Amino acid sequence: LFWERLAAIVPSGRLSGVRESFSAPRSGAGRVNRLRTGRDEVRAALEEAALHPRPLAWYPDGFTVDPAEREALGRSGPARDGRIWLQNPSSMVPPLALGPRPGERVLDLAAAPGSKTLQIAGLMEGQGELAAVEVVRDRFFRLRRNLELGGAGFARAFLKDGSRVWRHRPDWFDRVMVDAPCSTEGRFRVDEPETFAYWSPRKIHEMVRRQVPLLQGALRAVREGGVVVYSTCSFAPEENELVVDRVLRWAEDSVQVEPVPITVEAMSPTLERWQGQEIDPQVRHARRILPDGTFEGFFVCRLRRTGPLHD
């Protein structure tokens, strides 16, 4: 059933490449943690460890290494001490789409394990108010440890339900990141059965029941004129286009979808309809990222709150 759905989601010209990516050797990837060090220092340290990082053309702090160097990258000194953060290039796109600036108030919902939170902290240059929220207790403690290791001392972590944070800080934040819990379809690996062992259409619908309140809560927490980025690592339209479509109808004219302000080679247009349901044309501004051995599957949507929201 997953393969049938995938064929209906991915453009026909790219389907074979996407299918091959589920078993192809994966590149290693990471990001320079600007809270701890600089690009030149990281490159020197990795080259000293016999690694060959290649910077991403669209994000010089990000880099990849050949699949043969993937494990060694994870064992390297910069990875162990927090100077770099292992992170897939697709995962780097949502914080860049959010565009946080020094001195702003920023909220990261469902933040564990913290890779995007740390990237946001770096983009903020350690200045401003950054709140990271996680509802699962063991993931919350992992988030807190990672923020400490990454040098994000100005960020505060909260063990809370992200869909309810707005009740404490309505209309407060300049920007909100919602990298929502999802069915993780974009990370499936044929050689790792545990990555897809629990997948089912029912799992997708369970995730939707969590995703919609999270995105609604993010839009209530952001101020008028502020930006929310919604992302998942799923292919499922129910978790992506249809979640945004549903929230746009709930918000009426108080939320607009904006173009994703960054382009990467693995991006693909979103769907205009799914299983007979027409999707709000605004959602075409969002982007899918298709897996190719370097990039994982992702969905990224940037929204701006333009007016008051009803109760």
Side-chain angles (χ1 to χ4, degrees):
L1 179 57
F2 172 75
W3 298 114
E4 293 175 9
R5 286 172 53 91
L6 191 69
I9 294 167
V10 176
S12 59
R14 301 180 69 174
L15 181 59
S16 61
V18 169
R19 289 181 66 107
E20 290 170 5
S21 75
F22 290 106
S23 56
R26 289 173 292 173
S27 299
R31 174 182 52 78
V32 177
N33 180 6
R34 299 298 289 273
L35 298 172
R36 289 286 197 201
T37 188
R39 296 173 195 160
D40 292 342
E41 292 84 351
V42 163
R43 174 172 288 277
L46 293 180
E47 289 178 348
E48 186 177 346
L51 297 170
H52 304 86
R54 299 180 298 274
L56 299 171
W58 46 272
Y59 183 35
D61 282 351
F63 62 89
T64 61
V65 298
D66 289 337
E69 297 180 354
R70 178 184 172 91
E71 291 188 9
L73 178 66
R75 297 192 302 267
S76 68
R80 293 197 308 270
D81 63 22
R83 284 178 290 163
I84 66 170
W85 216 257
L86 302 183
Q87 188 175 355
N88 188 267
S90 295
S91 179
M92 301 177 198
V93 172
L96 294 176
L98 186 67
R101 300 168 184 165
E104 291 187 325
R105 297 168 174 169
V106 181
L107 172 64
D108 187 2
L109 297 177
S115 57
K116 293 181 184 65
T117 315
L118 283 168
Q119 187 179 352
I120 290 168
L123 293 168
M124 295 175 69
E125 299 176 7
Q127 303 172 41
E129 178 182 331
L130 176 57
V133 175
E134 175 57 50
V135 70
V136 180
R137 181 172 292 273
D138 59 340
R139 288 173 58 82
F140 164 77
F141 288 113
R142 183 182 176 192
L143 166 67
R144 199 165 64 175
R145 287 194 300 270
N146 284 340
L147 293 180
E148 181 178 354
L149 175 63
F154 78 110
R156 298 183 64 191
F158 297 90
L159 180 61
K160 290 185 178 296
D161 179 349
S163 67
R164 299 176 180 269
V165 169
W166 70 271
R167 298 179 184 273
H168 305 281
R169 285 288 188 270
D171 312 315
W172 178 259
F173 294 94
D174 298 296
R175 301 174 197 265
V176 182
M177 179 79 246
V178 186
D179 186 49
C182 70
S183 60
T184 67
E185 294 178 341
R187 297 178 179 173
F188 285 0
R189 294 286 301 175
V190 171
D191 55 347
E192 298 176 15
E194 66 275 11
T195 62
F196 56 84
Y198 301 104
W199 181 89
S200 70
R202 180 179 178 180
K203 177 77 169 179
I204 290 171
H205 292 292
E206 288 176 1
M207 293 295 100
V208 171
R209 286 196 291 270
R210 299 172 64 184
Q211 292 158 349
V212 170
L214 270 173
L215 183 51
Q216 290 173 326
L219 290 165
R220 289 187 179 279
V222 80
R223 62 172 175 80
E224 289 188 32
V227 171
V228 172
V229 165
Y230 175 79
S231 64
T232 77
C233 57
S234 174
F235 293 104
E238 295 90 343
E239 301 181 65
N240 297 325
E241 289 96 337
L242 294 183
V243 164
V244 178
D245 177 89
R246 181 171 168 182
V247 170
L248 287 174
R249 286 186 278 113
W250 163 81
E252 298 176 340
D253 295 325
S254 293
V255 172
Q256 295 180 351
V257 181
E258 297 185 336
V260 175
I262 182 171
T263 300
V264 304
E265 55 270 30
M267 279 182 172
S268 177
T270 57
L271 302 183
E272 298 181 10
R273 64 187 61 82
W274 176 250
Q275 296 183 342
Q277 180 176 337
E278 296 290 328
I279 297 166
D280 191 311
Q282 286 195 70
V283 184
R284 296 173 196 173
H285 289 308
R287 286 291 177 268
R288 288 175 170 270
I289 302 176
L290 301 181
D292 63 0
T294 296
F295 290 87
E296 295 177 341
F298 245 78
F299 174 86
V300 184
C301 183
R302 175 181 164 113
L303 306 102
R304 187 177 297 275
R305 182 174 162 188
T306 57
L309 295 169
H310 56 77
D311 293 331

